[in-house]
């Protein structure tokens, strides 16, 4: 049996990943989460399997279990959630990653660190390729997460160089889809729910800032391929959909599909909000057997809308 630890497994990406990993009968999943932003309902169905175990634990504290693979997702990812207690976020990104790297080293397990396009900050290089070192404000309201994730990458590479720890580092770009928390606060969940309820749709800034949105199944496929990539490919590798949209374009797509009567309200742009974001995925394509996203935004948004309907 492949004993796989998934931290943050009750969250949006984590629960989708656990679901996919359970499809392989050789896998035994140990999901660790403290429900900081995750939800019991995301894993209730998975708990019925005798190859799925749940441990309630905060990774800021050490953990000792037998495993041969670790996916380290535990960390709030939505700006309102990671900014609620910034020191908690940084501790999760530093102490939490150290604890998981110690566990991987002790077990001689392979560990994948879930990093982010936020390591590029408000980028001067467009699209962002992995060699770009980023433009991050070290003292702003996003820094607890951005700098936390940057040091998370540093720790992975230092554990690899100093102790030979087997690491894989992925940089995820904005992802959306089923199992997102409706109260998550990110743009897709906010806009879809506002549209479905005919509430005002909130655009921060003038809506010309861009993001590249990846449907969660495409991301999970990339994650699985990365874990089984050749041993000496450590990353970091971008995983995201290169289709780039302004926030206003995203809103127009959602309004068009839902037929919503919502009106748009413009609110102040939060500080350090990146103006553009688009992954260069050439490295992922080359190293992960031609991986690339298959679900265009117009299709993925329909699936997300179907999912969010149950919360209206
Ligand atoms: P999420 O908030 O839905 O999930 C995070 C999970 O981690 C939650 O279940 C939460 O309860 C858990 N958690 C938080 N702190 C913890 C701690 N100290 N100990 C144990 N569990 C803890 O977020 P998500 O969108 O699923 O993101 C998952 C990972 O992917 C995060 O590391 C995030 O930084 C990364 N990521 C996500 C995106 C995206 O668009 N979804 C983009 C870039 C990076
Ligand atoms: N945003 C918005 N309205 C919302 C929520 C977010 O216009 O209700 C904007 C936000 O300012 C940012 C973009 O949408 O420019 C993506 O925000 P999100 O929080 O989803 O992700 P991130 O900023 O971390 O990429």
């Amino acid at each position: 049996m492949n004993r796989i630890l998934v931290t943050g497994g009750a969250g949006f990406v984590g629960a989708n990943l656990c679901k996919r990993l359970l499809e392989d009968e050789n896998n035994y999943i140990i999901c660790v989460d403290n429900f900081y932003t995750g939800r019991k309902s995301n894993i209730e169905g998975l708990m019925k399997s005798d190859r799925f175990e749940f441990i309630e634990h905060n990774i800021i504290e050490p953990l000792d279990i037998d495993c041969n693979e670790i996916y380290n997702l535990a960390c709030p990812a939505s700006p309102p959630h990671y900014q609620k207690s910034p020191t908690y976020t940084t501790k999760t990104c530093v102490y939490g990653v150290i604890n998981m790297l110690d566990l991987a080293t002790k077990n001689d397990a392979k560990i994948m660190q879930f990093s982010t396009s936020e390591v590029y900050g408000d980028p001067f290089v467009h699209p962002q390729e992995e060699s770009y070192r980023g433009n991050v404000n070290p003292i702003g309201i996003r820094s607890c997460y951005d700098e936390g994730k940057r040091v998370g990458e540093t720790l992975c590479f230092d554990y690899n160089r100093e102790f030979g720890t087997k690491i894989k580092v992925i940089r995820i770009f904005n992802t959306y889809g089923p199992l997102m928390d409706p109260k998550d606060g990110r743009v897709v969940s906010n806009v879809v729910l506002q549209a479905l309820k005919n509430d005002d749709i909130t655009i921060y800034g003038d809506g010309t800032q861009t993001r590249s949105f990846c449907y969660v199944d495409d991301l999970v496929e990339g994650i699985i391929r990365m874990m089984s990539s050749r041993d000496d490919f450590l990353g970091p590798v971008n995983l995201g959909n290169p289709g780039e949209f302004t926030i206003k374009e995203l809103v127009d797509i959602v309004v068009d599909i839902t037929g919503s009567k919502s009106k748009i309200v413009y609110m102040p742009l939060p500080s350090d909000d990146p103006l553009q974001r688009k992954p260069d995925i050439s490295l992922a394509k080359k190293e992960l057997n031609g991986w690339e996203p298959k679900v265009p935004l117009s299709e993925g948004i329909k699936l997300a809308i179907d999912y969010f309907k149950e919360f209206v």
Side-chain angles (χ1 to χ4, degrees), residues 101-310:
L101 283 163
D102 281 341
L103 183 63
T105 310
K106 183 183 166 210
N107 282 318
D108 197 25
K110 210 184 323 181
I111 179 168
M112 182 181 290
Q113 172 58 15
F114 282 60
S115 192
T116 168
S117 55
E118 292 290 317
V119 300
Y120 302 121
D122 193 5
F124 293 130
V125 169
H126 196 72
Q128 293 78 53
E129 55 188 46
E130 290 83 353
S131 57
Y132 177 50
R133 294 182 185 178
N135 171 39
V136 174
N137 175 359
I139 57 167
I141 57 170
R142 292 174 86 97
S143 335
C144 57
Y145 183 74
D146 300 9
E147 297 290 15
K149 289 288 183 177
R150 285 170 68 96
V151 85
E153 293 194 8
T154 308
L155 283 163
C156 288
F157 280 84
D158 281 339
Y159 266 71
N160 174 264
R161 285 184 285 255
E162 198 172 338
F163 308 116
T165 311
K166 299 172 192 159
I167 60 155
K168 300 274 182 194
V169 176
I170 57 171
R171 292 181 178 157
I172 302 173
F173 286 64
N174 299 61
T175 300
Y176 68 97
L179 306 185
M180 280 186 106
D181 182 351
K183 297 193 202 70
D184 184 79
R186 280 178 276 195
V187 70
V188 172
S189 42
N190 277 7
V191 167
V192 169
L193 278 163
Q194 289 161 344
L196 287 171
K197 293 178 180 170
N198 293 313
D199 288 347
D200 289 352
I201 292 179
T202 51
I203 291 186
Y204 305 159
D206 62 5
T208 57
Q209 72 272 36
T210 68
R211 292 295 187 272
S212 298
F213 299 98
C214 185
Y215 189 67
V216 66
D217 290 358
D218 284 331
L219 172 69
V220 168
E221 178 62 32
I223 292 168
I224 302 282
R225 290 194 195 191
M226 179 58 175
M227 196 53 130
S228 60
S229 61
R230 62 186 167 84
D231 288 348
D232 57 352
F233 181 58
L234 311 182
V237 64
N238 289 339
L239 293 181
N241 190 322
E244 185 185 9
F245 295 84
T246 66
I247 297 306
K248 177 68 169 59
E249 283 169 337
L250 170 74
V251 168
D252 289 344
I253 291 170
V254 172
V255 169
D256 189 44
I257 297 171
T258 54
S260 175
K261 297 185 175 50
S262 297
K263 72 175 196 305
I264 295 174
V265 295
Y266 289 87
M267 297 170 71
L269 188 69
S271 69
D272 294 332
D273 199 289
L275 292 181
Q276 51 180 6
R277 208 32 95 52
K278 172 184 163 88
D280 180 323
I281 58 165
S282 323
L283 183 63
K285 268 191 197 166
K286 176 168 162 277
E287 294 292 343
L288 309 180
N289 301 321
W291 173 85
E292 61 182 325
K294 302 260 180 288
V295 184
L297 186 62
S298 53
E299 273 177 38
I301 280 291
K302 282 186 196 147
L303 301 170
I305 289 169
D306 286 344
Y307 162 73
F308 281 116
K309 275 181 184 159
E310 71 174 281

Side-chain angles (χ1 to χ4, degrees), residues 8 10-14 33-38 57-60 73-77 88 92 114-116 145 149 172-175 186:
F12 159 52
V13 176
D33 205 294
N34 66 350
F35 297 119
Y36 190 74
T37 53
H57 176 81
N58 180 344
I59 65 157
I60 292 173
L73 289 81
C75 183
Y88 168 88
T92 299
F114 282 60
S115 192
T116 168
Y145 183 74
K149 289 288 183 177
I172 302 173
F173 286 64
N174 299 61
T175 300
R186 280 178 276 195

Side-chain angles (χ1 to χ4, degrees), residues 54-65:
F54 177 72
I55 300 173
E56 189 162 346
H57 176 81
N58 180 344
I59 65 157
I60 292 173
E61 304 299 331
L63 180 68
D64 189 10
I65 47 171

